[in-house]
């Protein structure tokens, strides 16, 4: 995304919200690590890694209105704002700090959730369904437009995943051919969930992309534009 911004001469602003990351492969404009020391939070509060991430987010959220003020002052000169959240999805999605942060962003700007999946791992029907359930929970928790992004298409094409979301029988065949799920309740559960998520599959934008080669990056931004329109038409009135 960063390289695409540079290549297209687009103006972007980058915010890192992962307090535990050691290095980020882009130049951040705002970094939670400059405000909250993750290791000190662990020591001071006697927390483990996930608890420290959650607490760091909560502490940073108490100052996030200042971030919004900075963004509003610079909005006219920007094309995109990217907010990189912790890899531990639950620490952001289900924390008070995460809720405050995305509520503040959504009330000030057209805000889109980009849910990134590991395409090769999704070859397993059960792992695929776990990802879809997680994405669905994030969608309804955030109440914001979502772009479901299948990454690493340079390793594995995401065509199978796209087909599973539009063709129940294709997914059922995959479950039936999976030796780990064909017997027992997992296979039956996967089939039932696939039918239940039919509406979810129909309302979200989905795209395949490779962060390494840049394949599909244009499609990502076409989908981002569609999701932004959805924000204005559907989500903003609700908010």
């Amino acid at each position: 995304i960063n390289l695409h911004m540079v290549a297209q001469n687009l103006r972007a602003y980058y915010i890192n919200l992962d307090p535990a990351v050691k290095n980020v492969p882009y130049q951040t404009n705002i970094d939670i690590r400059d405000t909250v020391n993750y290791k000190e939070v662990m020591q001071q509060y006697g927390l483990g890694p996930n608890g420290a991430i959650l607490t760091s987010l909560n502490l940073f959220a108490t100052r996030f209105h200042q971030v919004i003020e900075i963004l509003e002052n610079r909005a006219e000169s920007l094309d995109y704002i990217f907010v990189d959240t912790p890899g531990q999805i639950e620490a952001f999605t289900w924390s008070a700090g995460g809720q405050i942060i995305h509520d503040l962003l959504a009330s000030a700007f057209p805000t889109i959730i980009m849910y990134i999946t590991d395409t090769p791992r999704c070859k397993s029907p059960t792992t695929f369904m776990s990802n879809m359930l997680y994405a669905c929970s994030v969608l309804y928790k955030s109440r914001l437009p979502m772009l479901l992004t299948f990454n690493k298409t340079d390793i594995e094409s995401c065509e199978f995943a796209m087909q599973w979301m539009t063709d129940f029988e294709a997914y059922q065949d995959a479950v039936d051919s999976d030796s780990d799920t064909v017997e027992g309740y997992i296979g039956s559960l996967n089939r039932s969930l696939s039918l239940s998520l039919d509406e979810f599959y129909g309302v979200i934008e989905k795209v395949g992309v490779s962060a390494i080669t840049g394949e599909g990056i244009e499609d990502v931004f076409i989908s981002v534009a569609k999701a932004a329109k959805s924000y204005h038409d559907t989500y903003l009135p609700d908010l």
Side-chain angles (χ1 to χ4, degrees):
I1 284 174
N2 185 22
L3 291 174
H4 179 77
M5 292 293 104
V6 174
Q8 299 298 317
N9 198 29
L10 294 168
R11 303 160 300 176
Y13 204 81
Y14 300 93
I15 301 174
N16 171 49
L17 290 182
D18 190 345
V21 68
K22 290 184 178 180
N23 299 294
V24 289
Y26 54 88
Q27 185 65 44
T28 58
N29 299 102
I30 296 176
D31 196 324
I32 188 175
R33 297 174 300 171
D34 296 334
T35 304
V36 182
N37 188 309
Y38 165 75
K39 290 186 177 180
E40 286 187 8
V41 169
M42 286 184 70
Q43 294 173 357
Q44 183 175 345
Y45 295 99
L47 299 169
N50 284 355
I53 290 173
L54 190 148
T55 302
S56 297
L57 280 167
N58 289 345
L59 291 169
F60 192 68
T62 64
R63 300 291 183 88
F64 203 77
H65 63 282
Q66 297 177 1
V67 175
I68 295 295
E69 290 175 4
I70 293 172
L71 296 177
E72 287 178 334
N73 289 335
R74 303 193 179 190
E76 292 297 322
S77 62
L78 297 174
D79 295 303
Y80 293 95
I81 298 168
F82 298 101
V83 183
D84 196 357
T85 59
Q88 293 84 345
I89 300 173
E90 67 280 358
F92 183 79
T93 304
W94 300 103
S95 67
Q99 181 79 39
I100 290 168
I101 288 170
H102 80 55
D103 281 355
L104 286 172
L105 284 168
S107 64
F109 306 100
T111 305
I112 299 159
I113 302 290
M114 184 182 291
Y115 186 93
I116 303 172
T117 63
D118 188 312
T119 304
R121 290 183 181 273
C122 282
K123 285 289 287 185
S124 162
T126 299
T127 304
F128 169 81
M129 186 54 64
S130 297
N131 266 285
M132 296 304 100
L133 284 174
Y134 224 140
C136 187
S137 70
V138 172
L139 175 68
Y140 288 105
K141 180 67 164 60
S142 67
R143 295 163 58 203
L144 290 170
M146 174 177 285
L147 172 56
L148 186 58
T149 309
F150 289 93
N151 190 25
K152 302 184 181 179
T153 55
D154 56 295
I155 300 173
E156 184 77 49
S157 170
C158 66
E159 288 303 316
F160 72 91
M162 299 296 188
Q163 184 183 21
W164 287 353
M165 286 188 281
T166 57
D167 186 344
F168 168 74
E169 290 185 358
Y171 180 73
Q172 180 172 292
D173 290 343
V175 172
D176 291 342
S177 63
D178 187 348
S179 59
D180 294 331
T181 62
V182 66
E183 299 292 340
Y185 77 95
I186 292 295
S188 177
L189 179 62
N190 282 342
R191 295 183 191 93
S192 299
L193 289 172
S194 182
L195 286 172
S196 301
L197 290 178
D198 183 62
E199 184 177 350
F200 167 70
Y201 294 150
V203 299
I204 59 168
E205 291 290 327
K206 38 196 175 288
V207 65
V209 69
S210 168
I212 291 293
T213 67
E215 176 190 2
I217 194 70
E218 293 287 353
D219 294 333
V220 167
F221 283 94
I222 291 172
S223 295
V224 165
K226 291 179 181 177
K229 184 178 185 303
S230 176
Y231 168 89
H232 286 292
D233 294 345
T234 305
Y235 290 84
L236 185 58
D238 183 46
L239 289 173

